[in-house]
Amino acid sequence: MNKDNLSYILKLTLLVVSITYALDKAVYFGLETLNKNVYTGASGGKVNQFLKEKDNLDFIVLGSSRANHHIDNIKISKKSFNMGLDGTKIAFSATLLKTLPLNKEQIILLHISPKYSLDSNYKGDDIAGLSKLYHQNNTIKNEYNTLGKNKIMNQIFWSLNFNGTVMGLFKNYFSPNYDINTYFGYDPIYITDEQKRIFKTVLENKVNEPCSNELKLNPIYEQYLDEISLFCKENNKKLILFTAPIYQDNCKDDDYILSNLLSQKNIEYWNMTTFFNNNNSLDYWRDNSHLSNTGAEIFTDSIKSKLNKLK
């Protein structure tokens, strides 16, 4: 290959890379503008609403679907938001907690799962749910980098951070399915008679799994627990961890281990897995770990009562 051909290839490559880079940034800033105007939906709108309102809240619920569907927060405080989101774990919730205002009195109710907190395979991948805010929010960026989730291609091509969420953003921009002025984050589950029948069949055929032989607090979980505990203590916030009811909890070892560890760390923890054990009506449940709206309202009343006793 002569020098002229090599020079041509290098110039062409540079041109293609430059155009690709420029197009990526154009697409990214277009999506960023779109995202800033979306306040509904799990693809990013709910997080946007939370970040918009967080400084004015006095009660916040964080966690997975078992926070989202189980705590009717507006019954506890009119200045509240339930930032529970399906499929998320400690990295997602702890990162959002760290965005809260400094030195402002707030109550944080964070759901934690004994099973997942002792899972040695957990790597904090759920923080990917905040990826589209990587270049917009320094707290999220720092947490992303600390977990080592800042892939080189995402650093170069920013629009990749919107992968898997674009259709949801467009849908919620042009056709939001609720009014954010009357939405406070809680998403109740309404069940049908058919769903109750299916759950009953599942219970009748359920095979109990033995407890794991290796029950040790995941280091990422422990790091986040220590960090958010310190953050709350330094910024006038009351942190309460809780575990929502489970219909049949066949392994209690993880509950005991987590309870003891949190007690040693002086972190308040309410393990309420057996809350419905004396009255386990199927009307209260969608499945083994999710309450129906009926069960959630009863559970919320209990949480409210426990919070009132702290005052």
Side-chain angles (χ1 to χ4, degrees), residues 30 51 129 135 139 170 177 207 211 241 264 275 296:
L51 293 175
H135 295 286
T139 299
F170 274 100
N177 58 3
V207 177
C211 294
L241 304 186
Q264 293 171 18
F275 178 76

Side-chain angles (χ1 to χ4, degrees), residues 6-17:
L6 179 59
S7 176
Y8 173 77
I9 291 174
L10 290 175
K11 289 179 180 178
L12 181 61
T13 301
L14 180 61
L15 178 62
V16 170
V17 170

Side-chain angles (χ1 to χ4, degrees), residues 7-261:
S7 176
Y8 173 77
I9 291 174
L10 290 175
K11 289 179 180 178
L12 181 61
T13 301
L14 180 61
L15 178 62
V16 170
V17 170
S18 299
I19 292 174
T20 302
Y21 184 82
L23 285 174
D24 167 74
K25 296 304 173 290
V27 170
Y28 170 80
F29 287 114
L31 291 173
E32 179 189 23
T33 300
L34 177 71
N35 182 57
K36 287 180 178 179
N37 291 282
V38 173
Y39 291 99
T40 64
S43 60
K46 186 175 183 179
V47 171
N48 288 343
Q49 183 180 357
F50 169 76
L51 293 175
K52 179 181 179 181
E53 299 178 3
K54 63 183 176 64
D55 291 3
N56 298 315
L57 303 174
D58 58 31
F59 177 59
I60 297 160
V61 179
L62 292 167
S64 64
S65 59
R66 299 183 63 214
N68 180 26
H69 304 305
H70 290 173
I71 306 293
D72 186 357
N73 49 290
I74 205 65
K75 293 179 68 175
I76 297 172
S77 171
K78 301 300 181 184
K79 296 173 64 178
S80 67
F81 196 81
N82 186 327
M83 192 50 240
L85 197 66
D86 294 12
T88 60
K89 297 178 183 175
I90 191 71
F92 181 93
S93 295
T95 299
L96 289 180
L97 189 153
K98 291 181 180 182
T99 69
L100 294 175
L102 305 181
N103 299 316
K104 176 179 172 59
E105 186 175 352
Q106 294 173 307
I107 297 175
I108 316 299
L109 188 65
L110 169 62
H111 186 273
I112 187 169
S113 166
K115 177 181 178 181
Y116 292 135
S117 65
L118 303 176
D119 180 6
S120 61
N121 295 318
Y122 177 68
K123 304 298 182 185
D125 291 338
D126 54 305
I127 201 173
L130 299 171
S131 63
K132 64 177 65 65
L133 298 173
Y134 178 85
H135 295 286
Q136 303 169 42
N137 186 293
N138 286 333
T139 299
I140 293 173
K141 185 174 185 177
N142 289 338
E143 295 303 316
Y144 226 85
N145 292 344
T146 299
L147 286 170
K149 304 299 180 181
N150 52 335
K151 298 178 182 178
I152 185 63
M153 290 302 292
N154 293 72
Q155 293 291 309
I156 298 173
F157 299 110
W158 292 8
S159 60
L160 291 176
N161 289 329
F162 282 87
N163 271 359
T165 65
V166 175
M167 294 304 296
L169 287 177
F170 274 100
K171 184 264 180 189
N172 284 289
Y173 178 80
F174 290 106
S175 182
N177 58 3
Y178 56 81
D179 180 359
I180 66 169
N181 295 310
T182 57
Y183 179 70
F184 305 97
Y186 168 58
D187 295 312
I189 298 174
Y190 298 97
I191 60 171
T192 64
D193 289 338
E194 176 64 12
Q195 288 173 320
K196 282 193 286 185
R197 186 193 65 78
I198 293 172
F199 182 39
K200 184 177 181 181
T201 301
V202 170
L203 290 173
E204 291 171 349
N205 295 280
K206 186 178 180 181
V207 177
N208 295 336
E209 297 181 2
C211 294
S212 171
N213 293 324
E214 296 183 9
L215 294 177
K216 183 179 179 181
L217 188 60
N218 179 285
I220 293 177
Y221 262 85
E222 182 164 20
Q223 180 69 24
Y224 270 122
L225 289 173
D226 290 340
E227 289 175 0
I228 62 176
S229 177
L230 180 61
F231 177 87
C232 290
K233 288 176 181 177
E234 292 181 342
N235 290 286
N236 203 24
K237 304 185 193 304
K238 176 63 177 177
L239 175 66
I240 302 169
L241 304 186
F242 80 106
T243 301
I246 294 178
Y247 189 90
Q248 289 182 357
D249 185 6
N250 297 311
C251 178
K252 300 301 294 182
D253 291 355
D254 51 6
D255 295 55
Y256 300 139
I257 291 172
L258 180 61
S259 293
N260 289 334
L261 287 169

